Amino acid sequence: MTETAPQSDGTFGDLVSRALGNRSFVIGLVITLVVVAMAAVSFFWTPFDVTRLVVADRMQPPSAEHWFGTDHFGRDVLSMIMIGSRNSIAVALVAVVIGMGIGVPLGCWAAARGGWVDEALMRFNDLVFAFPALLSAIMITAVFGPSAINAIIAIGIFNIPVFARVARAGALSIWPREYILAARAAGKNKARITVEHILPNIANLLLVQGTIQFALGILAEAALSYVGLGTQPPMPSWGRMLFDAQTLMMVSPWLALFPGCAILLTVLGLNLLGDGISDIFDPRARRRI
Amino acid sequence: MTIYLLKRLLIGIATLVVASLVVFLMLEVVPGDPARLMLGMNASDAQVELLREQMGLNQPLILRYLDWARGLLSLDFGRSYTYSVPVIDLIKERLVVSFPLAVIALTLSTLIAIPVGLFAAARRGKAGDTAAMAVAQVGVAMPNFWFALLLVYVFAVWLRLVPAGGFPGWSNGAWPALKALILPALALALPQAAILARVTRSALIEVLNEDYIRTARAKGMPMRAVLWRHALRNAMIPVLTIMGLQFAFLLAGTIIIENVFYLPGLGRLVFQAITQRDLIVVESVVMLLVAAVVIVNLIVDLSYAVVDPRLRARQ
């Protein structure tokens, strides 16, 4: 993005004005909020009940009554997409929490401790990266049975080294700073310095990575559900809807159109949000690019 | 550089060893007796016991692991529980679909991404750059299997240019086979190309700020020549790194995409094996793919030395 960043004075108000001036951030935030709102609303209201099968209404094209049409069981596609968003968000979010919860402490530990701990952890990271994540997720769900929970675990495991790497790199750049030296001179131990000084300073990096992994998690969940290894029917999920739509594409192409758009928009929104956040916190780094 | 490569090689080998341990142990905890599975529910306990003995299932865990690992090294993966043929034969049969698919997809992705990256970098901040990067942003967010469905709808259902799925085999000539692989390869390549184009662009922009680029321009070298001859070569390291990482995604992607197009490749094999609980096939394919990723990453490490002579000299 080319807009020039306003003069930074480091206050919260300054941060907000920079955020509102950032196109990626605003568009990404709006899309993300719409998806989250859709998921929230689906808990107490959807246009139609998705557990009721109305065979008379099956495979209707989009209309005023059914905005996105109906599927082969007569279920309202819009209602299914709304409930599916809940599912996508839950899986991806918990996977991010697993990744952050384990990866960030490991990365901070490696940075603080250095030496063999650091080396061992980074080699372990290389190792996990050699497994294609989706392939391993497929194996995990194949062995332990397909379910949303196993999909979360499989995706979560592969978030761990990503966050460990980001946290370590961020922490390593903070440790040589003078205020850390001051904190050490004041007698704070490494754990306390990490919590009080390192973490707040790498929070933005973690936030950006969090949105990226969130987006990747949504894509992975959709792929797993599409091949039948993620969320199980009758719970609606975007990936599963696309699988069902595939055989019906000749007669009702809209069945494949809307769930796909939902995935695309959600992931696009999160990616823009991530780009925006990293712009806002580090305008110089981005302007060079 | 030699030391660096040796270190990478050791890490690659260690990765394979640990991977084999993980895969082996994971399948150990799976409930169900393979011998019972092969013989069916009507077999007597004595028959099952006999087969267990024959399959070596009664040996201690560590011996079975070593036996299996030795088998992997000589490409002897054992016999499929359901097909009763050597797993390696199944893999060979499927590899003639998956391997060309992955190679075509990687080639397409590179052929799309590098020119787009060059185009955008040369017009940084202008309309062409913004448009190209907006398209790339959408490409990154596109689930490849959904893109595959859209391609099927447009090119197979609507325009009827290519088959919607299935694979005629290579024996009926290369053209029908290639035609069946075009859409799957495109579906795999485009989201990867979007990522690669973004990386290429930012790597190039980094390089274009260097002094030697200004010198080249100042001595009157045309922009096009500067980009291709100086900038691209120097921007190759991050691009190659991402290409190596993408190969892993591509392999996993083929598993999903083969299911969209009903292609009889490794992905279909894995899924059939999963539903039939034919776990020896699952573990063999997983090991094969991990090995492929490790080898490709080693090739990427080697290629650094090819594009950057400075790395060759460094110890």
Side-chain angles (χ1 to χ4, degrees):
Chain A
M1 300 295 118
T2 47
E3 59 261 56
T4 44
Q7 273 302 306
S8 164
D9 58 13
T11 62
F12 183 69
D14 163 58
L15 206 63
V16 171
S17 73
R18 247 190 298 161
L20 292 179
N22 185 296
R23 211 175 347 151
S24 294
F25 179 82
V26 174
I27 299 173
L29 187 68
V30 169
I31 297 176
T32 308
L33 285 180
V34 167
V35 176
V36 171
M38 195 165 79
V41 168
S42 80
F43 276 101
F44 45 89
W45 180 81
T46 52
F48 289 86
D49 182 1
V50 293
T51 56
R52 249 191 51 221
L53 313 179
V54 189
V55 184
D57 283 347
R58 61 199 285 267
M59 311 255 275
Q60 288 194 5
S63 64
E65 193 188 357
H66 297 283
W67 285 10
F68 291 176
T70 61
D71 76 350
H72 52 302
F73 291 127
R75 293 177 294 183
D76 179 56
V77 172
L78 174 60
S79 306
M80 287 176 75
I81 287 181
M82 285 175 73
I83 295 190
S85 69
R86 212 200 272 176
N87 187 58
S88 286
I89 291 174
V91 170
L93 194 65
V94 178
V96 168
V97 170
I98 294 175
M100 270 197 185
I102 302 175
V104 173
L106 281 178
C108 288
W109 186 43
R113 180 75 172 62
W116 67 267
V117 172
D118 191 21
E119 185 70 17
L121 210 77
M122 286 305 112
R123 292 295 76 79
F124 179 73
N125 259 350
D126 288 346
L127 210 137
V128 181
F129 274 119
F131 280 88
L134 201 60
L135 178 69
S136 317
I138 287 168
M139 205 174 80
I140 289 174
T141 44
V143 169
F144 298 104
S147 73
I149 303 286
N150 286 340
I152 291 175
I153 295 171
I155 300 169
I157 287 176
F158 289 90
N159 280 339
I160 296 173
V162 175
F163 284 105
R165 191 167 278 202
V166 171
R168 173 182 173 272
L172 281 179
S173 73
I174 306 287
W175 272 104
R177 303 272 172 93
E178 276 167 5
Y179 56 84
I180 300 291
L181 199 63
R184 296 184 78 165
K188 291 185 185 177
N189 64 24
K190 283 185 170 179
R192 194 167 157 206
I193 291 176
T194 297
V195 172
E196 288 178 8
H197 302 288
I198 305 283
L199 276 181
N201 280 298
I202 62 171
N204 58 334
L205 293 177
L206 297 176
L207 193 62
V208 170
Q209 198 62 43
T211 57
I212 294 170
Q213 296 310 117
F214 195 169
L216 288 176
I218 284 182
L219 281 175
E221 193 277 333
L224 282 176
S225 296
Y226 171 76
V227 292
L229 293 175
T231 314
Q232 296 299 302
M235 179 74 182
S237 73
W238 294 345
R240 186 74 204 178
M241 287 171 79
L242 285 175
F243 174 79
D244 290 336
Q246 191 175 351
T247 46
L248 303 167
M249 217 160 48
M250 303 276 201
V251 258
S252 26
W254 63 86
L255 285 179
L257 189 63
F258 295 113
C261 286
I263 302 173
L264 176 67
L265 268 179
T266 309
V267 175
L268 185 66
L270 286 166
N271 283 342
L272 287 174
L273 189 64
D275 280 3
I277 296 173
S278 77
D279 264 350
I280 294 163
F281 279 101
D282 198 354
R284 263 171 314 152
R286 294 285 299 185
R287 225 182 312 153
R288 218 157 32 101
I289 292 175
Chain B
M1 190 67 199
T2 325
I3 291 172
Y4 168 75
L5 283 177
L6 273 176
K7 205 175 153 193
R8 302 302 301 179
L9 186 67
L10 278 178
I11 290 171
I13 293 169
T15 306
L16 286 176
V17 171
V18 178
S20 70
L21 271 170
V22 172
V23 169
F24 181 79
L25 287 177
M26 216 154 121
L27 294 173
E28 271 308 306
V29 302
V30 178
D33 180 354
R36 170 68 69 188
L37 209 71
M38 279 176 89
L39 291 172
M41 280 305 147
N42 297 325
S44 71
D45 285 350
Q47 280 173 313
V48 172
E49 192 50 39
L50 191 71
L51 187 64
R52 281 187 65 87
E53 198 57 53
Q54 274 174 10
M55 289 171 79
L57 288 173
N58 290 334
Q59 283 175 344
L61 195 66
I62 180 81
L63 276 182
R64 269 186 296 139
Y65 169 72
L66 288 176
D67 203 43
W68 177 68
R70 201 175 43 229
L72 287 183
L73 286 179
S74 52
L75 291 179
D76 171 16
F77 298 111
R79 274 175 173 276
S80 154
Y81 299 156
T82 45
Y83 297 100
S84 290
V85 294
V87 176
I88 184 72
D89 291 350
L90 285 175
I91 288 178
K92 272 188 202 153
E93 193 184 301
R94 305 307 183 98
L95 215 52
V96 299
V97 180
S98 297
F99 185 71
L101 178 58
V103 171
I104 298 173
L106 192 64
T107 315
L108 272 178
S109 152
T110 313
L111 286 181
I112 298 169
I114 305 252
V116 171
L118 277 166
F119 171 88
R123 286 165 191 73
R124 172 162 50 140
K126 297 194 184 125
D129 175 28
T130 313
M133 285 307 108
V135 173
Q137 195 57 273
V138 174
V140 172
M142 178 90 81
N144 58 14
F145 61 96
W146 182 55
F147 185 52
L149 288 181
L150 296 181
L151 286 177
V152 168
Y153 188 70
V154 173
F155 291 100
V157 178
W158 196 35
L159 297 174
R160 296 182 184 280
L161 288 176
V162 285
F167 188 69
W170 294 98
S171 53
N172 302 327
W175 178 237
L178 280 176
K179 232 163 96 172
L181 292 181
I182 288 176
L183 288 191
L186 209 57
L188 274 171
L190 225 67
Q192 302 291 329
I195 299 172
L196 200 59
R198 281 164 57 113
V199 173
T200 308
R201 173 183 174 274
S202 50
L204 277 169
I205 286 174
E206 194 92 351
V207 171
L208 288 176
N209 285 330
E210 299 282 342
D211 291 340
Y212 55 80
I213 298 290
R214 195 175 339 116
T215 310
R217 292 285 289 146
K219 74 175 189 192
M221 198 175 190
M223 192 59 188
R224 177 184 293 267
V226 172
L227 275 172
W228 285 95
R229 202 164 328 147
H230 293 293
L232 189 59
R233 185 168 183 139
N234 282 290
M236 270 328 264
I237 295 252
V239 173
L240 282 171
T241 310
I242 298 296
M243 278 174 72
L245 280 176
Q246 283 194 330
F247 187 73
F249 284 106
L250 213 61
L251 282 176
T254 52
I255 295 179
I256 306 280
I257 291 295
E258 281 172 10
N259 278 282
V260 180
F261 291 93
Y262 306 105
L263 290 176
L266 283 179
R268 292 288 290 170
L269 182 65
V270 167
F271 276 99
Q272 281 157 1
I274 286 171
T275 41
Q276 292 156 346
R277 316 284 307 152
D278 195 348
L279 295 172
I280 193 150
V281 172
V282 180
E283 64 186 5
S284 305
V285 176
V286 170
M287 280 313 298
L288 193 76
L289 296 185
V290 174
V293 172
V294 167
I295 292 168
V296 166
N297 285 336
L298 280 175
I299 295 174
V300 169
D301 284 333
L302 268 175
S303 66
Y304 291 163
V306 176
V307 289
D308 194 342
R310 283 169 304 178
L311 287 176
R312 257 174 276 164
R314 197 180 299 164
Q315 276 306 308

